[in-house]
Amino acid sequence: MTMKTIRQTAREKLKGFCRVCPECNGKACAGEVPGIGGIGTAASFKSNVVTLAAFRLNMRTLHGAKNPDTTYKLFGQDLSTPILGAPITGNVYNMGGALNEEEWAGAIIQGCLTAGALGCTGDGADPAMYNSGVDAIAKAQGRGIPFIKPREKEEVFNYLRRAEKAGVLAVGMDIDGAGLVTMALKGQPVGPKTKEEMKAIISSTSVPFIIKGVMTVDEAEIAIEVGAAAIVVSNHGGRVLDHTPGTAEVLKKIAEAVGGRIPVLVDGGVRTGVDVLKMLALGADAVLIGRPLVIAAYGGGAEGVALAIRRMTNELKQAMILTGCATLSDITRDVLF
Ligand SMILES: Cc1cc2nc3c(=O)[nH]c(=O)nc-3n(C[C@H](O)[C@H](O)[C@H](O)COP(=O)(O)O)c2cc1C
């Protein structure tokens, strides 16, 4: 199996949903939500890619970073790479259904573990989607992170209890799913959460809780105040609100404000190891990858996912050699031009 064969297979299996473009930038699939694209004009998806691409790197080769160390520790779990699989659901309406939710979640969780990474799973209009993710994580002895939609409080409690039973490493909420009217139409209402509501949710569990979908400094502060163990700077891959900035644009200020109090993760448009290096230089501790792993999982299952992550990790290592970074903590603002 190679990336080339993976992409060929993915192109067949994702027909009508993802074109497996040479560059995954939101142009060809603009407005395709449901589907794989960005919402509306796809300005938010495109901004993720364009603003990340705009950062350039200082090349340095007179140093001793000959064999960089890409290891990363998250909530006590030793990982070989700071790359995580992003939570994704809706295989039938977003990706055509060649994989069912169970096969999808298994490919992501197992593929990530094979590559020394960690996978996340999501939540959608059908409760079975969340359960498939939690089941896949349970099978992996809890090594994975399920994300719950900002459902009504009692529902969130039920979903949390299910995650705890599966022994998950951490659990999260994609708070930016707050406006998904499709969920309400299917009898699964979601909405924004007040500080008090978030405090009640987070304090009800002893499992580290991640808030995903933070795009401003003030909300990063709120996340810390209500007890989040980490945040994900994310605009949901540009799928929830048209015309947000790219995540690479807001990351630096947010990471500076957080100042190491909790890990800052980021996603949106990360396609290569060089992109990972840039996000870390802007202050992220780790990154999540979305659409490239859709292609990897549809094109090659768990093996495809592992291959894609290993490849990106190797690219990161190479970029660390050429920017003089022996460890992930050496990847600072100095790396950026
Ligand atoms: C088809 C699709 C489904 C998604 N479903 C979820 C979900 O259920 N929960 C969630 O937190 N994020 C979901 N996301 C957002 C991803 O977790 C992630 O934030 C985004 O894909 C990152 O951008 P990238 O795809 O450009 O790497 C979804 C994204 C896509 C493309």
Side-chain angles (χ1 to χ4, degrees):
M1 192 180 290
T2 64
M3 285 311 293
K4 197 172 165 200
T5 59
I6 288 173
R7 290 173 67 81
Q8 273 164 355
T9 308
R11 203 168 281 118
E12 290 158 24
K13 295 214 167 153
L14 289 163
K15 211 170 165 75
F17 289 83
C18 170
R19 296 155 187 84
V20 191
C21 301
E23 187 192 33
C24 175
N25 55 20
K27 286 183 189 166
C29 55
E32 294 179 8
V33 182
I36 197 85
I39 198 162
T41 66
S44 304
F45 180 176
K46 289 179 202 163
S47 286
N48 283 343
V49 174
V50 169
T51 62
L52 185 55
F55 287 103
R56 290 179 293 164
L57 300 171
N58 289 318
M59 187 165 73
R60 292 189 172 96
T61 41
L62 298 171
H63 55 72
K66 292 171 197 281
N67 187 21
D69 177 3
T70 61
T71 58
Y72 175 62
K73 199 174 195 146
L74 184 64
F75 305 130
Q77 184 81 29
D78 285 313
L79 307 171
S80 346
T81 177
I83 299 171
L84 284 80
I88 285 182
T89 51
N91 280 271
V92 170
Y93 52 79
N94 288 322
M95 297 167 270
L99 295 184
N100 63 36
E101 293 292 327
E102 203 182 321
E103 290 164 336
W104 161 260
I108 291 295
I109 295 299
Q110 289 301 331
C112 284
L113 286 179
T114 303
L118 206 57
C120 302
T121 57
D123 179 18
D126 178 356
M129 293 176 186
Y130 176 75
N131 291 339
S132 304
V134 171
D135 290 348
I137 296 171
K139 267 189 215 149
Q141 292 80 45
R143 287 173 299 164
I145 306 174
F147 279 78
I148 303 170
K149 283 266 169 324
R151 296 169 171 274
E152 288 176 336
K153 211 160 83 186
E154 287 311 314
E155 277 294 273
V156 173
F157 286 143
N158 292 338
Y159 279 49
L160 269 175
R161 301 295 89 83
R162 234 171 281 162
E164 287 163 353
K165 235 190 230 159
V168 301
L169 182 70
V171 63
M173 178 177 282
D174 47 325
I175 189 68
D176 57 1
L180 293 174
V181 280
T182 45
M183 295 274 299
L185 289 176
K186 292 192 171 139
Q188 317 275 317
V190 290
K193 299 267 175 258
T194 64
K195 278 189 203 179
E196 288 64 39
E197 287 168 327
M198 279 316 285
K199 273 185 195 162
I201 288 168
I202 296 177
S203 64
S204 82
T205 184
S206 55
V207 177
F209 194 99
I210 305 172
I211 297 183
K212 175 172 180 279
V214 173
M215 286 294 284
T216 60
V217 168
D218 55 297
E219 293 227 317
E221 289 293 353
I222 293 174
I224 294 175
E225 188 188 329
V226 299
I231 56 169
V232 185
V233 173
S234 174
N235 61 9
H236 215 99
R239 294 170 60 80
V240 289
L241 177 66
D242 208 356
H243 296 287
T244 73
T247 52
E249 285 179 278
V250 299
L251 173 60
K252 186 167 158 275
K253 275 204 177 133
I254 292 174
E256 276 168 8
V258 170
R261 285 177 285 170
I262 54 171
V264 174
L265 315 184
V266 68
D267 70 21
V270 177
R271 302 289 178 259
T272 65
V274 167
D275 290 341
V276 179
L277 182 97
K278 288 180 180 181
M279 289 296 205
L280 266 52
L282 288 164
D285 295 285
V287 305
L288 276 58
I289 311 286
R291 294 175 180 91
L293 294 191
V294 171
I295 293 168
Y298 272 75
E303 198 185 333
V305 170
L307 200 86
I309 293 179
R310 281 201 176 119
R311 183 184 157 118
M312 256 189 228
T313 304
N314 283 336
E315 290 165 353
L316 168 65
K317 211 166 179 173
Q318 194 170 10
M320 288 170 76
I321 293 174
L322 290 166
T323 53
C325 303
T327 66
L328 298 183
S329 53
D330 294 332
I331 306 175
T332 62
R333 193 77 179 76
D334 286 351
V335 161
L336 299 175
F337 176 68

